[in-house]
PDB file of all heavy atoms in Angstrom:
ATOM      1  N   SER A   1     -11.859  16.523 -11.160  1.00 96.00           N
ATOM      2  CA  SER A   1     -11.133  16.278 -12.397  1.00 96.00           C
ATOM      3  C   SER A   1      -9.668  16.663 -12.196  1.00 96.00           C
ATOM      4  O   SER A   1      -9.352  17.562 -11.413  1.00 96.00           O
ATOM      5  CB  SER A   1     -11.729  17.061 -13.576  1.00 96.00           C
ATOM      6  OG  SER A   1     -11.517  18.451 -13.432  1.00 96.00           O
ATOM      7  N   ILE A   2      -8.799  15.951 -12.921  1.00 96.00           N
ATOM      8  CA  ILE A   2      -7.357  16.200 -12.860  1.00 96.00           C
ATOM      9  C   ILE A   2      -6.869  16.432 -14.284  1.00 96.00           C
ATOM     10  O   ILE A   2      -7.048  15.579 -15.155  1.00 96.00           O
ATOM     11  CB  ILE A   2      -6.611  15.003 -12.246  1.00 96.00           C
ATOM     12  CG1 ILE A   2      -7.184  14.658 -10.864  1.00 96.00           C
ATOM     13  CG2 ILE A   2      -5.124  15.317 -12.125  1.00 96.00           C
ATOM     14  CD1 ILE A   2      -6.626  13.379 -10.267  1.00 96.00           C
ATOM     15  N   ASP A   3      -6.264  17.605 -14.531  1.00 96.00           N
ATOM     16  CA  ASP A   3      -5.753  17.884 -15.866  1.00 96.00           C
ATOM     17  C   ASP A   3      -4.648  16.907 -16.240  1.00 96.00           C
ATOM     18  O   ASP A   3      -4.658  16.334 -17.331  1.00 96.00           O
ATOM     19  CB  ASP A   3      -5.224  19.324 -15.958  1.00 96.00           C
ATOM     20  CG  ASP A   3      -6.340  20.350 -15.959  1.00 96.00           C
ATOM     21  OD1 ASP A   3      -7.503  19.974 -16.204  1.00 96.00           O
ATOM     22  OD2 ASP A   3      -6.044  21.541 -15.717  1.00 96.00           O
ATOM     23  N   LYS A   4      -3.688  16.707 -15.334  1.00 96.00           N
ATOM     24  CA  LYS A   4      -2.619  15.745 -15.590  1.00 96.00           C
ATOM     25  C   LYS A   4      -2.214  15.082 -14.286  1.00 96.00           C
ATOM     26  O   LYS A   4      -1.906  15.758 -13.304  1.00 96.00           O
ATOM     27  CB  LYS A   4      -1.396  16.410 -16.222  1.00 96.00           C
ATOM     28  CG  LYS A   4      -0.292  15.401 -16.564  1.00 96.00           C
ATOM     29  CD  LYS A   4       0.851  16.037 -17.336  1.00 96.00           C
ATOM     30  CE  LYS A   4       1.895  14.978 -17.713  1.00 96.00           C
ATOM     31  NZ  LYS A   4       3.012  15.549 -18.502  1.00 96.00           N
ATOM     32  N   LEU A   5      -2.228  13.744 -14.301  1.00 96.00           N
ATOM     33  CA  LEU A   5      -1.811  12.962 -13.153  1.00 96.00           C
ATOM     34  C   LEU A   5      -0.621  12.113 -13.562  1.00 96.00           C
ATOM     35  O   LEU A   5      -0.726  11.255 -14.438  1.00 96.00           O
ATOM     36  CB  LEU A   5      -2.950  12.069 -12.667  1.00 96.00           C
ATOM     37  CG  LEU A   5      -2.630  11.086 -11.531  1.00 96.00           C
ATOM     38  CD1 LEU A   5      -2.185  11.835 -10.287  1.00 96.00           C
ATOM     39  CD2 LEU A   5      -3.836  10.197 -11.229  1.00 96.00           C
ATOM     40  N   GLU A   6       0.544  12.365 -12.924  1.00 96.00           N
ATOM     41  CA  GLU A   6       1.760  11.629 -13.246  1.00 96.00           C
ATOM     42  C   GLU A   6       2.254  10.918 -12.001  1.00 96.00           C
ATOM     43  O   GLU A   6       2.507  11.545 -10.970  1.00 96.00           O
ATOM     44  CB  GLU A   6       2.838  12.562 -13.785  1.00 96.00           C
ATOM     45  CG  GLU A   6       4.111  11.835 -14.198  1.00 96.00           C
ATOM     46  CD  GLU A   6       5.108  12.724 -14.912  1.00 96.00           C
ATOM     47  OE1 GLU A   6       4.734  13.870 -15.264  1.00 96.00           O
ATOM     48  OE2 GLU A   6       6.257  12.293 -15.118  1.00 96.00           O
ATOM     49  N   ILE A   7       2.397   9.595 -12.104  1.00 95.00           N
ATOM     50  CA  ILE A   7       2.801   8.772 -10.970  1.00 95.00           C
ATOM     51  C   ILE A   7       4.110   8.090 -11.335  1.00 95.00           C
ATOM     52  O   ILE A   7       4.170   7.280 -12.270  1.00 95.00           O
ATOM     53  CB  ILE A   7       1.725   7.722 -10.641  1.00 95.00           C
ATOM     54  CG1 ILE A   7       0.379   8.417 -10.389  1.00 95.00           C
ATOM     55  CG2 ILE A   7       2.135   6.895  -9.425  1.00 95.00           C
ATOM     56  CD1 ILE A   7      -0.813   7.495 -10.416  1.00 95.00           C
ATOM     57  N   GLY A   8       5.169   8.412 -10.594  1.00 96.00           N
ATOM     58  CA  GLY A   8       6.484   7.862 -10.894  1.00 96.00           C
ATOM     59  C   GLY A   8       6.681   6.447 -10.419  1.00 96.00           C
ATOM     60  O   GLY A   8       7.514   5.701 -10.955  1.00 96.00           O
ATOM     61  N   GLY A   9       5.921   6.028  -9.383  1.00 96.00           N
ATOM     62  CA  GLY A   9       6.054   4.685  -8.841  1.00 96.00           C
ATOM     63  C   GLY A   9       4.804   3.869  -9.061  1.00 96.00           C
ATOM     64  O   GLY A   9       4.207   3.875 -10.143  1.00 96.00           O
ATOM     65  N   ASP A  10       4.371   3.169  -8.006  1.00 95.00           N
ATOM     66  CA  ASP A  10       3.235   2.255  -8.086  1.00 95.00           C
ATOM     67  C   ASP A  10       2.029   2.789  -7.324  1.00 95.00           C
ATOM     68  O   ASP A  10       2.164   3.612  -6.416  1.00 95.00           O
ATOM     69  CB  ASP A  10       3.610   0.896  -7.480  1.00 95.00           C
ATOM     70  CG  ASP A  10       4.779   0.229  -8.196  1.00 95.00           C
ATOM     71  OD1 ASP A  10       4.948   0.481  -9.406  1.00 95.00           O
ATOM     72  OD2 ASP A  10       5.509  -0.533  -7.532  1.00 95.00           O
ATOM     73  N   LEU A  11       0.863   2.263  -7.687  1.00 96.00           N
ATOM     74  CA  LEU A  11      -0.351   2.381  -6.878  1.00 96.00           C
ATOM     75  C   LEU A  11      -0.555   1.026  -6.219  1.00 96.00           C
ATOM     76  O   LEU A  11      -0.734   0.012  -6.909  1.00 96.00           O
ATOM     77  CB  LEU A  11      -1.563   2.749  -7.734  1.00 96.00           C
ATOM     78  CG  LEU A  11      -1.529   4.082  -8.463  1.00 96.00           C
ATOM     79  CD1 LEU A  11      -2.831   4.296  -9.233  1.00 96.00           C
ATOM     80  CD2 LEU A  11      -1.314   5.235  -7.497  1.00 96.00           C
ATOM     81  N   ILE A  12      -0.531   0.998  -4.882  1.00 96.00           N
ATOM     82  CA  ILE A  12      -0.555  -0.269  -4.162  1.00 96.00           C
ATOM     83  C   ILE A  12      -1.669  -0.233  -3.115  1.00 96.00           C
ATOM     84  O   ILE A  12      -1.711   0.670  -2.274  1.00 96.00           O
ATOM     85  CB  ILE A  12       0.790  -0.530  -3.461  1.00 96.00           C
ATOM     86  CG1 ILE A  12       1.936  -0.547  -4.485  1.00 96.00           C
ATOM     87  CG2 ILE A  12       0.746  -1.840  -2.687  1.00 96.00           C
ATOM     88  CD1 ILE A  12       3.316  -0.571  -3.851  1.00 96.00           C
ATOM     89  N   THR A  13      -2.581  -1.206  -3.186  1.00 96.00           N
ATOM     90  CA  THR A  13      -3.579  -1.380  -2.134  1.00 96.00           C
ATOM     91  C   THR A  13      -3.407  -2.770  -1.539  1.00 96.00           C
ATOM     92  O   THR A  13      -3.241  -3.753  -2.258  1.00 96.00           O
ATOM     93  CB  THR A  13      -5.011  -1.219  -2.670  1.00 96.00           C
ATOM     94  OG1 THR A  13      -5.266  -2.204  -3.677  1.00 96.00           O
ATOM     95  CG2 THR A  13      -5.210   0.173  -3.271  1.00 96.00           C
ATOM     96  N   LYS A  14      -3.456  -2.853  -0.204  1.00 95.00           N
ATOM     97  CA  LYS A  14      -3.244  -4.134   0.480  1.00 95.00           C
ATOM     98  C   LYS A  14      -4.498  -4.650   1.172  1.00 95.00           C
ATOM     99  O   LYS A  14      -4.538  -5.810   1.607  1.00 95.00           O
ATOM    100  CB  LYS A  14      -2.107  -3.993   1.489  1.00 95.00           C
ATOM    101  CG  LYS A  14      -0.773  -3.626   0.838  1.00 95.00           C
ATOM    102  CD  LYS A  14       0.347  -3.534   1.856  1.00 95.00           C
ATOM    103  CE  LYS A  14       1.672  -3.187   1.188  1.00 95.00           C
ATOM    104  NZ  LYS A  14       2.804  -3.115   2.149  1.00 95.00           N
ATOM    105  N   GLY A  15      -5.524  -3.799   1.306  1.00 93.00           N
ATOM    106  CA  GLY A  15      -6.744  -4.217   1.983  1.00 93.00           C
ATOM    107  C   GLY A  15      -7.716  -4.936   1.065  1.00 93.00           C
ATOM    108  O   GLY A  15      -7.531  -4.996  -0.158  1.00 93.00           O
ATOM    109  N   ASP A  16      -8.785  -5.473   1.649  1.00 93.00           N
ATOM    110  CA  ASP A  16      -9.823  -6.171   0.896  1.00 93.00           C
ATOM    111  C   ASP A  16     -10.833  -5.185   0.320  1.00 93.00           C
ATOM    112  O   ASP A  16     -11.187  -4.183   0.950  1.00 93.00           O
ATOM    113  CB  ASP A  16     -10.565  -7.152   1.811  1.00 93.00           C
ATOM    114  CG  ASP A  16      -9.689  -8.313   2.243  1.00 93.00           C
ATOM    115  OD1 ASP A  16      -8.688  -8.573   1.551  1.00 93.00           O
ATOM    116  OD2 ASP A  16     -10.001  -8.928   3.274  1.00 93.00           O
ATOM    117  N   ASP A  17     -11.301  -5.504  -0.893  1.00 92.00           N
ATOM    118  CA  ASP A  17     -12.420  -4.797  -1.517  1.00 92.00           C
ATOM    119  C   ASP A  17     -12.170  -3.295  -1.655  1.00 92.00           C
ATOM    120  O   ASP A  17     -13.016  -2.467  -1.314  1.00 92.00           O
ATOM    121  CB  ASP A  17     -13.710  -5.048  -0.724  1.00 92.00           C
ATOM    122  CG  ASP A  17     -14.952  -4.622  -1.509  1.00 92.00           C
ATOM    123  OD1 ASP A  17     -14.899  -4.583  -2.749  1.00 92.00           O
ATOM    124  OD2 ASP A  17     -15.974  -4.293  -0.853  1.00 92.00           O
ATOM    125  N   VAL A  18     -10.988  -2.941  -2.124  1.00 95.00           N
ATOM    126  CA  VAL A  18     -10.667  -1.548  -2.432  1.00 95.00           C
ATOM    127  C   VAL A  18     -10.155  -1.484  -3.869  1.00 95.00           C
ATOM    128  O   VAL A  18     -10.019  -2.494  -4.545  1.00 95.00           O
ATOM    129  CB  VAL A  18      -9.637  -0.964  -1.441  1.00 95.00           C
ATOM    130  CG1 VAL A  18     -10.198  -0.928  -0.039  1.00 95.00           C
ATOM    131  CG2 VAL A  18      -8.347  -1.765  -1.469  1.00 95.00           C
ATOM    132  N   VAL A  19      -9.868  -0.258  -4.335  1.00 94.00           N
ATOM    133  CA  VAL A  19      -9.503  -0.049  -5.739  1.00 94.00           C
ATOM    134  C   VAL A  19      -8.214   0.767  -5.817  1.00 94.00           C
ATOM    135  O   VAL A  19      -8.030   1.723  -5.059  1.00 94.00           O
ATOM    136  CB  VAL A  19     -10.632   0.689  -6.496  1.00 94.00           C
ATOM    137  CG1 VAL A  19     -10.249   0.898  -7.959  1.00 94.00           C
ATOM    138  CG2 VAL A  19     -11.939  -0.089  -6.398  1.00 94.00           C
ATOM    139  N   GLY A  20      -7.350   0.399  -6.729  1.00 93.00           N
ATOM    140  CA  GLY A  20      -6.123   1.156  -6.934  1.00 93.00           C
ATOM    141  C   GLY A  20      -6.390   2.524  -7.544  1.00 93.00           C
ATOM    142  O   GLY A  20      -5.986   3.558  -6.995  1.00 93.00           O
ATOM    143  N   LEU A  21      -7.086   2.545  -8.669  1.00 94.00           N
ATOM    144  CA  LEU A  21      -7.449   3.794  -9.349  1.00 94.00           C
ATOM    145  C   LEU A  21      -8.949   3.768  -9.572  1.00 94.00           C
ATOM    146  O   LEU A  21      -9.459   2.980 -10.373  1.00 94.00           O
ATOM    147  CB  LEU A  21      -6.711   3.915 -10.681  1.00 94.00           C
ATOM    148  CG  LEU A  21      -7.001   5.174 -11.496  1.00 94.00           C
ATOM    149  CD1 LEU A  21      -6.519   6.419 -10.768  1.00 94.00           C
ATOM    150  CD2 LEU A  21      -6.357   5.080 -12.880  1.00 94.00           C
ATOM    151  N   HIS A  22      -9.670   4.624  -8.867  1.00 94.00           N
ATOM    152  CA  HIS A  22     -11.133   4.600  -8.860  1.00 94.00           C
ATOM    153  C   HIS A  22     -11.666   5.956  -9.346  1.00 94.00           C
ATOM    154  O   HIS A  22     -11.478   6.972  -8.674  1.00 94.00           O
ATOM    155  CB  HIS A  22     -11.639   4.316  -7.451  1.00 94.00           C
ATOM    156  CG  HIS A  22     -13.086   3.952  -7.406  1.00 94.00           C
ATOM    157  ND1 HIS A  22     -13.716   3.557  -6.239  1.00 94.00           N
ATOM    158  CD2 HIS A  22     -14.047   3.900  -8.380  1.00 94.00           C
ATOM    159  CE1 HIS A  22     -14.984   3.288  -6.490  1.00 94.00           C
ATOM    160  NE2 HIS A  22     -15.207   3.509  -7.777  1.00 94.00           N
ATOM    161  N   VAL A  23     -12.292   5.952 -10.513  1.00 93.00           N
ATOM    162  CA  VAL A  23     -12.871   7.171 -11.077  1.00 93.00           C
ATOM    163  C   VAL A  23     -14.380   6.984 -11.111  1.00 93.00           C
ATOM    164  O   VAL A  23     -14.913   6.233 -11.934  1.00 93.00           O
ATOM    165  CB  VAL A  23     -12.324   7.458 -12.492  1.00 93.00           C
ATOM    166  CG1 VAL A  23     -12.892   8.777 -13.011  1.00 93.00           C
ATOM    167  CG2 VAL A  23     -10.798   7.503 -12.483  1.00 93.00           C
ATOM    168  N   ASP A  24     -15.076   7.652 -10.205  1.00 92.00           N
ATOM    169  CA  ASP A  24     -16.532   7.522 -10.060  1.00 92.00           C
ATOM    170  C   ASP A  24     -17.174   8.865 -10.381  1.00 92.00           C
ATOM    171  O   ASP A  24     -17.205   9.760  -9.543  1.00 92.00           O
ATOM    172  CB  ASP A  24     -16.866   7.074  -8.642  1.00 92.00           C
ATOM    173  CG  ASP A  24     -18.351   6.848  -8.427  1.00 92.00           C
ATOM    174  OD1 ASP A  24     -19.136   7.051  -9.378  1.00 92.00           O
ATOM    175  OD2 ASP A  24     -18.736   6.479  -7.300  1.00 92.00           O
ATOM    176  N   GLN A  25     -17.616   9.030 -11.612  1.00 91.00           N
ATOM    177  CA  GLN A  25     -18.229  10.256 -12.143  1.00 91.00           C
ATOM    178  C   GLN A  25     -17.218  11.369 -12.388  1.00 91.00           C
ATOM    179  O   GLN A  25     -17.567  12.411 -12.919  1.00 91.00           O
ATOM    180  CB  GLN A  25     -19.328  10.784 -11.215  1.00 91.00           C
ATOM    181  CG  GLN A  25     -20.447   9.793 -10.941  1.00 91.00           C
ATOM    182  CD  GLN A  25     -21.540  10.389 -10.089  1.00 91.00           C
ATOM    183  OE1 GLN A  25     -22.213  11.326 -10.506  1.00 91.00           O
ATOM    184  NE2 GLN A  25     -21.724   9.845  -8.884  1.00 91.00           N
ATOM    185  N   GLY A  26     -15.971  11.171 -11.984  1.00 92.00           N
ATOM    186  CA  GLY A  26     -14.941  12.187 -12.177  1.00 92.00           C
ATOM    187  C   GLY A  26     -14.199  12.010 -13.490  1.00 92.00           C
ATOM    188  O   GLY A  26     -14.608  11.256 -14.383  1.00 92.00           O
ATOM    189  N   GLN A  27     -13.054  12.696 -13.596  1.00 95.00           N
ATOM    190  CA  GLN A  27     -12.320  12.692 -14.865  1.00 95.00           C
ATOM    191  C   GLN A  27     -10.823  12.857 -14.617  1.00 95.00           C
ATOM    192  O   GLN A  27     -10.407  13.700 -13.829  1.00 95.00           O
ATOM    193  CB  GLN A  27     -12.824  13.831 -15.768  1.00 95.00           C
ATOM    194  CG  GLN A  27     -12.152  13.894 -17.126  1.00 95.00           C
ATOM    195  CD  GLN A  27     -12.649  15.060 -17.964  1.00 95.00           C
ATOM    196  OE1 GLN A  27     -13.107  16.068 -17.419  1.00 95.00           O
ATOM    197  NE2 GLN A  27     -12.570  14.939 -19.274  1.00 95.00           N
ATOM    198  N   ILE A  28     -10.027  12.034 -15.295  1.00 94.00           N
ATOM    199  CA  ILE A  28      -8.584  12.234 -15.384  1.00 94.00           C
ATOM    200  C   ILE A  28      -8.261  12.449 -16.856  1.00 94.00           C
ATOM    201  O   ILE A  28      -8.391  11.541 -17.676  1.00 94.00           O
ATOM    202  CB  ILE A  28      -7.799  11.022 -14.843  1.00 94.00           C
ATOM    203  CG1 ILE A  28      -8.172  10.751 -13.380  1.00 94.00           C
ATOM    204  CG2 ILE A  28      -6.296  11.289 -14.949  1.00 94.00           C
ATOM    205  CD1 ILE A  28      -7.534   9.502 -12.808  1.00 94.00           C
ATOM    206  N   LYS A  29      -7.858  13.673 -17.191  1.00 94.00           N
ATOM    207  CA  LYS A  29      -7.678  14.025 -18.596  1.00 94.00           C
ATOM    208  C   LYS A  29      -6.402  13.455 -19.186  1.00 94.00           C
ATOM    209  O   LYS A  29      -6.353  13.080 -20.360  1.00 94.00           O
ATOM    210  CB  LYS A  29      -7.696  15.550 -18.747  1.00 94.00           C
ATOM    211  CG  LYS A  29      -9.012  16.185 -18.318  1.00 94.00           C
ATOM    212  CD  LYS A  29      -8.963  17.703 -18.413  1.00 94.00           C
ATOM    213  CE  LYS A  29     -10.260  18.329 -17.920  1.00 94.00           C
ATOM    214  NZ  LYS A  29     -10.199  19.814 -17.957  1.00 94.00           N
ATOM    215  N   ASP A  30      -5.345  13.401 -18.389  1.00 93.00           N
ATOM    216  CA  ASP A  30      -4.054  12.924 -18.880  1.00 93.00           C
ATOM    217  C   ASP A  30      -3.387  12.144 -17.749  1.00 93.00           C
ATOM    218  O   ASP A  30      -3.127  12.687 -16.685  1.00 93.00           O
ATOM    219  CB  ASP A  30      -3.187  14.102 -19.316  1.00 93.00           C
ATOM    220  CG  ASP A  30      -1.866  13.674 -19.943  1.00 93.00           C
ATOM    221  OD1 ASP A  30      -1.667  12.462 -20.140  1.00 93.00           O
ATOM    222  OD2 ASP A  30      -1.036  14.554 -20.234  1.00 93.00           O
ATOM    223  N   LEU A  31      -3.129  10.845 -17.980  1.00 93.00           N
ATOM    224  CA  LEU A  31      -2.567   9.983 -16.953  1.00 93.00           C
ATOM    225  C   LEU A  31      -1.243   9.404 -17.427  1.00 93.00           C
ATOM    226  O   LEU A  31      -1.158   8.820 -18.513  1.00 93.00           O
ATOM    227  CB  LEU A  31      -3.534   8.846 -16.617  1.00 93.00           C
ATOM    228  CG  LEU A  31      -3.018   7.750 -15.685  1.00 93.00           C
ATOM    229  CD1 LEU A  31      -2.714   8.323 -14.309  1.00 93.00           C
ATOM    230  CD2 LEU A  31      -4.021   6.608 -15.589  1.00 93.00           C
ATOM    231  N   VAL A  32      -0.210   9.560 -16.599  1.00 92.00           N
ATOM    232  CA  VAL A  32       1.087   8.941 -16.857  1.00 92.00           C
ATOM    233  C   VAL A  32       1.428   8.099 -15.631  1.00 92.00           C
ATOM    234  O   VAL A  32       1.618   8.632 -14.537  1.00 92.00           O
ATOM    235  CB  VAL A  32       2.189   9.987 -17.108  1.00 92.00           C
ATOM    236  CG1 VAL A  32       3.536   9.294 -17.296  1.00 92.00           C
ATOM    237  CG2 VAL A  32       1.850  10.849 -18.322  1.00 92.00           C
TER     238      VAL A  32
END
């Protein structure tokens, strides 16, 4: 879990069959 996640730029994936933001059973409480 992440209390606060702040990203000033981009989330970039270039490969096949992947995910930019992947939350699997976890938690992001505050996302910017």
Side-chain angles (χ1 to χ4, degrees):
S1 69
I2 305 172
D3 288 343
K4 183 173 183 178
L5 175 61
E6 183 172 350
I7 304 165
D10 300 331
L11 298 182
I12 302 171
T13 61
K14 298 182 179 181
D16 292 339
D17 194 25
V18 297
V19 180
L21 180 65
H22 194 175
V23 183
D24 183 359
Q25 302 183 64
Q27 182 182 26
I28 302 175
K29 298 177 183 178
D30 185 6
L31 172 64
V32 177

